[in-house]
Amino acid sequence: MAVFHGQGFYPNDSEIVRILRNKLAGSTEDLGINSGHERRYFLTNLEYGHGEVINRQTPSEGSWMMTRPSRDIVDQSATWKSFTYYTAHNMRTPWFMEEYTLANAPLLALCVLYNSFRN
């Protein structure tokens, strides 16, 4: 599957897993993608904070908090998680992020960022 920039990029779970596997194998596929409906797709390397917890704090002191239980996708080869952004003063914002990781590479993530007021 070719990755197209612009409108209409709505990958399903198996396409997301394929993109992650290709990236893990060394692909230089660019994912700075705007679906045309205020959704942004990007790849990132997750980092541990203190202990065994992924650090999701932002430079502005806000943080991403999980909003739904994680679920396995594509024959349990990957995991999907959903987050909401909270400000430093613990105020909920309309920003959401979905995070997809492979079971064998949990620190490489494909993320989808969107504002719920615009969708």
Side-chain angles (χ1 to χ4, degrees):
M1 175 188 101
V3 176
F4 299 101
H5 295 266
Q7 297 189 18
F9 182 74
Y10 294 103
N12 61 34
D13 290 348
S14 61
E15 291 170 331
I16 286 173
V17 168
R18 184 201 55 79
I19 290 167
L20 284 168
R21 286 180 180 154
N22 286 349
K23 185 64 175 179
L24 193 60
S27 171
T28 57
E29 195 169 28
D30 178 23
L31 278 181
I33 296 171
N34 171 1
S35 70
H37 297 286
E38 301 300 326
R39 287 181 176 256
R40 303 287 188 260
Y41 293 80
F42 60 94
L43 287 163
T44 187
N45 290 312
L46 303 175
E47 297 177 4
Y48 284 105
H50 301 289
E52 294 185 18
V53 177
I54 299 292
N55 181 11
R56 292 191 176 86
Q57 189 168 2
T58 64
S60 64
E61 302 300 320
S63 64
W64 292 97
M65 297 187 170
M66 193 176 289
T67 54
R68 296 184 187 127
S70 62
R71 66 177 168 91
D72 292 333
I73 59 171
V74 187
D75 298 326
Q76 299 182 349
S77 65
T79 303
W80 169 89
K81 295 178 182 174
S82 176
F83 298 90
T84 300
Y85 185 73
Y86 285 81
T87 67
H89 303 291
N90 209 28
M91 299 288 294
R92 185 174 186 257
T93 71
W95 288 99
F96 290 93
M97 179 174 64
E98 295 175 8
E99 177 185 284
Y100 297 85
T101 57
L102 293 174
N104 65 340
L107 295 182
L108 173 65
L110 187 149
C111 298
V112 183
L113 182 66
Y114 57 95
N115 184 322
S116 64
F117 288 149
R118 295 184 185 163
N119 287 331

